CSV table of all heavy atoms in Angstrom, one decimal:
chain,number,residue,atom,x,y,z
A,68,ARG,N,-8.5,-20.8,-2.8
A,68,ARG,CA,-9.2,-19.8,-3.7
A,68,ARG,C,-9.2,-20.4,-5.0
A,68,ARG,O,-10.2,-20.3,-5.8
A,68,ARG,CB,-8.4,-18.5,-3.8
A,68,ARG,CG,-8.9,-17.5,-2.7
A,68,ARG,CD,-8.6,-16.1,-2.9
A,68,ARG,NE,-7.1,-16.0,-3.2
A,68,ARG,CZ,-6.3,-15.7,-2.1
A,68,ARG,NH1,-6.7,-15.7,-0.9
A,68,ARG,NH2,-4.9,-15.7,-2.3
A,69,GLN,N,-8.0,-21.0,-5.4
A,69,GLN,CA,-7.8,-21.5,-6.9
A,69,GLN,C,-8.9,-22.7,-7.0
A,69,GLN,O,-9.5,-22.8,-8.0
A,69,GLN,CB,-6.5,-22.1,-7.1
A,69,GLN,CG,-5.4,-21.1,-7.3
A,69,GLN,CD,-4.1,-21.6,-7.5
A,69,GLN,OE1,-3.8,-22.7,-7.1
A,69,GLN,NE2,-3.2,-20.8,-8.1
A,70,ARG,N,-9.0,-23.5,-6.0
A,70,ARG,CA,-9.9,-24.7,-6.1
A,70,ARG,C,-11.3,-24.2,-6.3
A,70,ARG,O,-12.2,-24.6,-7.2
A,70,ARG,CB,-9.8,-25.6,-4.8
A,70,ARG,CG,-10.3,-27.0,-5.1
A,70,ARG,CD,-10.0,-27.9,-4.0
A,70,ARG,NE,-10.3,-27.2,-2.5
A,70,ARG,CZ,-9.6,-27.1,-1.7
A,70,ARG,NH1,-8.3,-27.4,-1.7
A,70,ARG,NH2,-9.9,-26.6,-0.5
A,71,ASP,N,-11.7,-23.2,-5.3
A,71,ASP,CA,-13.0,-22.6,-5.5
A,71,ASP,C,-13.2,-22.0,-6.7
A,71,ASP,O,-14.5,-22.2,-7.3
A,71,ASP,CB,-13.2,-21.6,-4.4
A,71,ASP,CG,-13.3,-22.2,-2.9
A,71,ASP,OD1,-13.3,-23.5,-2.8
A,71,ASP,OD2,-13.1,-21.4,-1.9
A,72,ALA,N,-12.3,-21.3,-7.3
A,72,ALA,CA,-12.5,-20.6,-8.7
A,72,ALA,C,-12.7,-21.7,-9.7
A,72,ALA,O,-13.7,-21.6,-10.5
A,72,ALA,CB,-11.3,-19.9,-9.0
A,73,LYS,N,-12.0,-22.8,-9.6
A,73,LYS,CA,-12.2,-23.9,-10.7
A,73,LYS,C,-13.5,-24.4,-10.5
A,73,LYS,O,-14.2,-24.7,-11.5
A,73,LYS,CB,-11.2,-25.0,-10.3
A,73,LYS,CG,-10.2,-25.3,-11.5
A,73,LYS,CD,-9.2,-26.3,-11.0
A,73,LYS,CE,-7.9,-26.3,-11.9
A,73,LYS,NZ,-7.0,-27.2,-11.4
A,74,ILE,N,-14.0,-24.7,-9.3
A,74,ILE,CA,-15.4,-25.3,-9.0
A,74,ILE,C,-16.4,-24.3,-9.6
A,74,ILE,O,-17.3,-24.8,-10.3
A,74,ILE,CB,-15.6,-25.5,-7.5
A,74,ILE,CG1,-14.7,-26.8,-7.1
A,74,ILE,CG2,-17.1,-25.9,-7.3
A,74,ILE,CD1,-14.6,-27.0,-5.6
A,75,ALA,N,-16.3,-23.0,-9.2
A,75,ALA,CA,-17.2,-22.0,-9.6
A,75,ALA,C,-17.3,-22.0,-11.2
A,75,ALA,O,-18.4,-21.9,-11.9
A,75,ALA,CB,-16.9,-20.7,-9.1
A,76,LYS,N,-16.1,-22.1,-11.9
A,76,LYS,CA,-16.0,-22.0,-13.3
A,76,LYS,C,-16.7,-23.3,-13.9
A,76,LYS,O,-17.7,-23.0,-14.9
A,76,LYS,CB,-14.7,-22.1,-13.7
A,76,LYS,CG,-14.3,-21.7,-15.2
A,76,LYS,CD,-12.8,-21.7,-15.5
A,76,LYS,CE,-12.6,-21.5,-16.9
A,76,LYS,NZ,-11.0,-21.6,-17.2
A,77,SER,N,-16.5,-24.4,-13.4
A,77,SER,CA,-17.2,-25.6,-13.9
A,77,SER,C,-18.7,-25.5,-13.6
A,77,SER,O,-19.5,-25.9,-14.5
A,77,SER,CB,-16.6,-26.9,-13.3
A,77,SER,OG,-17.1,-27.0,-11.9
A,78,GLU,N,-19.1,-24.9,-12.5
A,78,GLU,CA,-20.5,-24.7,-12.3
A,78,GLU,C,-21.1,-23.9,-13.3
A,78,GLU,O,-22.3,-24.1,-13.8
A,78,GLU,CB,-20.7,-24.3,-10.8
A,78,GLU,CG,-20.5,-25.2,-9.7
A,78,GLU,CD,-21.5,-26.3,-9.7
A,78,GLU,OE1,-22.6,-26.2,-10.0
A,78,GLU,OE2,-21.0,-27.4,-9.4
A,79,ARG,N,-20.5,-22.7,-13.6
A,79,ARG,CA,-20.9,-21.7,-14.5
A,79,ARG,C,-21.0,-22.4,-15.9
A,79,ARG,O,-22.1,-22.2,-16.6
A,79,ARG,CB,-19.9,-20.6,-14.6
A,79,ARG,CG,-20.5,-19.3,-14.4
A,79,ARG,CD,-19.6,-18.1,-14.5
A,79,ARG,NE,-18.3,-18.3,-14.9
A,79,ARG,CZ,-17.2,-18.2,-14.0
A,79,ARG,NH1,-17.5,-18.0,-12.8
A,79,ARG,NH2,-15.9,-18.3,-14.4
A,80,HIS,N,-20.1,-23.2,-16.2
A,80,HIS,CA,-20.1,-23.9,-17.6
A,80,HIS,C,-21.2,-24.8,-17.6
A,80,HIS,O,-21.9,-24.8,-18.7
A,80,HIS,CB,-18.8,-24.6,-17.8
A,80,HIS,CG,-17.8,-23.7,-18.2
A,80,HIS,ND1,-16.5,-24.1,-18.6
A,80,HIS,CD2,-17.8,-22.4,-18.6
A,80,HIS,CE1,-15.8,-23.1,-18.9
A,80,HIS,NE2,-16.4,-22.0,-19.0
A,81,LYS,N,-21.5,-25.5,-16.6
A,81,LYS,CA,-22.7,-26.6,-16.6
A,81,LYS,C,-24.0,-25.7,-16.8
A,81,LYS,O,-24.8,-26.1,-17.4
A,81,LYS,CB,-22.8,-27.2,-15.2
A,81,LYS,CG,-21.9,-28.4,-15.0
A,81,LYS,CD,-22.1,-29.1,-13.7
A,81,LYS,CE,-20.9,-30.0,-13.3
A,81,LYS,NZ,-20.8,-30.3,-11.9
A,82,GLN,N,-24.0,-24.6,-16.0
A,82,GLN,CA,-25.2,-23.7,-16.2
A,82,GLN,C,-25.6,-23.3,-17.5
A,82,GLN,O,-26.5,-23.4,-18.1
A,82,GLN,CB,-25.3,-22.6,-15.2
A,82,GLN,CG,-26.5,-21.8,-14.9
A,82,GLN,CD,-27.7,-22.8,-14.5
A,82,GLN,OE1,-27.5,-23.7,-13.5
A,82,GLN,NE2,-28.7,-22.6,-15.1
A,83,GLN,N,-24.3,-22.7,-18.1
A,83,GLN,CA,-24.4,-22.2,-19.5
A,83,GLN,C,-24.9,-23.3,-20.5
A,83,GLN,O,-25.7,-23.1,-21.3
A,83,GLN,CB,-23.1,-21.7,-20.0
A,83,GLN,CG,-22.7,-20.4,-19.3
A,83,GLN,CD,-21.3,-19.9,-19.6
A,83,GLN,OE1,-20.6,-20.8,-20.0
A,83,GLN,NE2,-21.0,-18.7,-19.3
A,84,GLU,N,-24.3,-24.5,-20.2
A,84,GLU,CA,-24.7,-25.7,-21.1
A,84,GLU,C,-26.2,-26.0,-21.0
A,84,GLU,O,-26.8,-26.1,-22.0
A,84,GLU,CB,-23.8,-26.9,-20.6
A,84,GLU,CG,-23.9,-28.0,-21.7
A,84,GLU,CD,-23.4,-27.6,-23.0
A,84,GLU,OE1,-22.4,-26.8,-23.2
A,84,GLU,OE2,-23.9,-28.1,-24.1
A,85,LYS,N,-26.7,-25.9,-19.7
A,85,LYS,CA,-28.2,-26.1,-19.4
A,85,LYS,C,-29.0,-25.2,-20.2
A,85,LYS,O,-30.0,-25.5,-20.8
A,85,LYS,CB,-28.6,-26.1,-17.9
A,85,LYS,CG,-28.3,-27.4,-17.3
A,85,LYS,CD,-28.7,-27.2,-15.9
A,85,LYS,CE,-28.3,-28.4,-14.9
A,85,LYS,NZ,-28.4,-28.1,-13.5
A,86,ASP,N,-28.6,-23.9,-20.0
A,86,ASP,CA,-29.4,-22.7,-20.7
A,86,ASP,C,-29.4,-23.0,-22.2
A,86,ASP,O,-30.4,-22.7,-22.8
A,86,ASP,CB,-28.7,-21.4,-20.3
A,86,ASP,CG,-28.9,-21.1,-18.8
A,86,ASP,OD1,-29.7,-21.8,-18.2
A,86,ASP,OD2,-28.2,-20.2,-18.4
A,87,ARG,N,-28.2,-23.2,-22.8
A,87,ARG,CA,-28.1,-23.5,-24.1
A,87,ARG,C,-29.1,-24.6,-24.6
A,87,ARG,O,-29.8,-24.5,-25.7
A,87,ARG,CB,-26.7,-24.0,-24.5
A,87,ARG,CG,-26.3,-23.8,-25.9
A,87,ARG,CD,-24.8,-24.0,-26.1
A,87,ARG,NE,-24.5,-24.4,-27.5
A,87,ARG,CZ,-24.5,-25.7,-27.7
A,87,ARG,NH1,-24.5,-26.7,-26.8
A,87,ARG,NH2,-24.1,-26.1,-29.0
A,88,GLU,N,-29.1,-25.8,-23.9
A,88,GLU,CA,-30.0,-26.9,-24.1
A,88,GLU,C,-31.4,-26.4,-24.2
A,88,GLU,O,-32.2,-26.6,-25.1
A,88,GLU,CB,-29.8,-28.0,-23.1
A,88,GLU,CG,-28.5,-28.7,-23.2
A,88,GLU,CD,-28.3,-29.5,-24.5
A,88,GLU,OE1,-29.3,-30.0,-25.1
A,88,GLU,OE2,-27.1,-29.6,-25.0
A,89,LYS,N,-31.8,-25.6,-23.2
A,89,LYS,CA,-33.2,-25.1,-23.1
A,89,LYS,C,-33.5,-24.2,-24.2
A,89,LYS,O,-34.6,-24.3,-24.8
A,89,LYS,CB,-33.3,-24.1,-21.8
A,89,LYS,CG,-33.6,-24.9,-20.5
A,89,LYS,CD,-33.8,-24.0,-19.5
A,89,LYS,CE,-33.9,-24.7,-18.1
A,89,LYS,NZ,-34.0,-23.8,-17.0
A,90,ARG,N,-32.7,-23.2,-24.5
A,90,ARG,CA,-32.8,-22.4,-25.8
A,90,ARG,C,-33.2,-23.3,-27.1
A,90,ARG,O,-34.0,-22.9,-27.8
A,90,ARG,CB,-31.7,-21.5,-26.0
A,90,ARG,CG,-31.6,-20.2,-25.0
A,90,ARG,CD,-30.9,-19.1,-25.7
A,90,ARG,NE,-29.5,-19.5,-25.9
A,90,ARG,CZ,-28.5,-19.5,-25.0
A,90,ARG,NH1,-28.8,-19.2,-23.7
A,90,ARG,NH2,-27.4,-19.9,-25.3
A,91,ILE,N,-32.2,-24.3,-27.3
A,91,ILE,CA,-32.3,-25.2,-28.5
A,91,ILE,C,-33.7,-25.9,-28.4
A,91,ILE,O,-34.4,-25.9,-29.5
A,91,ILE,CB,-31.2,-26.2,-28.5
A,91,ILE,CG1,-29.8,-25.4,-28.8
A,91,ILE,CG2,-31.4,-27.2,-29.5
A,91,ILE,CD1,-28.5,-26.2,-28.7
A,92,ALA,N,-34.1,-26.3,-27.2
A,92,ALA,CA,-35.3,-27.1,-27.1
A,92,ALA,C,-36.5,-26.1,-27.5
A,92,ALA,O,-37.4,-26.5,-28.1
A,92,ALA,CB,-35.4,-27.6,-25.7
A,93,ALA,N,-36.4,-24.8,-26.9
A,93,ALA,CA,-37.4,-24.0,-27.1
A,93,ALA,C,-37.5,-23.6,-28.6
A,93,ALA,O,-38.7,-23.6,-29.2
A,93,ALA,CB,-37.1,-22.6,-26.4
Side-chain angles (χ1 to χ4, degrees):
R68 270 200 307 278
Q69 284 178 342
R70 198 172 53 236
D71 291 349
K73 241 181 205 173
I74 291 170
K76 192 176 178 186
S77 73
E78 289 293 325
R79 233 183 0 259
H80 280 178
K81 278 183 201 162
Q82 192 55 45
Q83 285 172 349
E84 195 60 33
K85 273 185 193 167
D86 293 347
R87 193 167 156 271
E88 292 293 328
K89 274 186 192 168
R90 277 202 305 277
I91 290 172

